Structure formats: C-alpha cells, structure tokens
Amino acid sequence: MGIQDKIEATWDINDPIFTPRERAALEMATMFTEDYRAFNDENVARWKKQFTDEEFVELGAFMAHAHGFGQLVEMLGLGDAEQVCEFEI
C-alpha cells in the first residue's frame, strides 16, 4: 500500500486505507472546496481532535492557497485543452 493507492482512494474518504487524521483532512478539504460555508462548530471540534491549533490553521491556509491556485489555473485555461479566455500565458 503506497502513496499511489492513497491518491486513487481519495474518491472515498471512508476507505479504510486512511488514518483518522488523514480522513479528517480529506473531509475538511472536501467541505472547503465544495461549500466552505457549511463548516460548523461540530465539524471544527471533530477535526481539531486530530490536529493541534497550529496544524489546523496551517492545513486551512494550505487549502485556501491550493484552492485559489486551482481557480487561477482554471481561469487562465492552463492544464486544460479548452481555455476559458483567448489569451495564453
């Protein structure tokens, strides 16, 4: 069981391949990208059982950075055969 197995399993965060800590990070990332406004006290309390305050903030900051960068890549049409705009960088 290697990293490639875990990457392929990310489609199902309940896959037993993941540790509770990894599952918490995947759940948080999924909710962050799909509907960050759905975060509630119960979610945060559950996730913070897996991470220190510092790790929780770092994980959230990384998610924000990665999500924003992904949106920029999509907006510029990079990595996709069909560009959103006529300009290419």
Side-chain angles (χ1 to χ4, degrees), residues 57-77:
V57 170
E58 185 175 353
L59 185 57
F62 178 77
M63 287 177 195
H65 177 78
H67 185 67
F69 188 76
Q71 289 175 323
L72 175 65
V73 167
E74 186 177 329
M75 178 190 78
L76 297 175

Side-chain angles (χ1 to χ4, degrees), residues 14-77:
N14 295 311
D15 191 306
I17 196 170
F18 299 115
T19 66
R21 187 173 157 94
E22 291 169 329
R23 195 170 292 112
L26 287 168
E27 180 185 22
M28 186 176 163
T30 299
M31 187 176 287
F32 184 90
T33 57
E34 291 178 357
D35 184 11
Y36 70 93
R37 290 187 175 121
F39 277 34
N40 59 41
D41 291 342
E42 182 182 312
N43 299 129
V44 172
R46 187 174 64 254
W47 297 329
K48 287 181 89 173
K49 289 179 184 175
Q50 299 297 326
F51 307 104
T52 65
D53 288 344
E54 292 82 7
E55 290 171 329
F56 187 75
V57 170
E58 185 175 353
L59 185 57
F62 178 77
M63 287 177 195
H65 177 78
H67 185 67
F69 188 76
Q71 289 175 323
L72 175 65
V73 167
E74 186 177 329
M75 178 190 78
L76 297 175

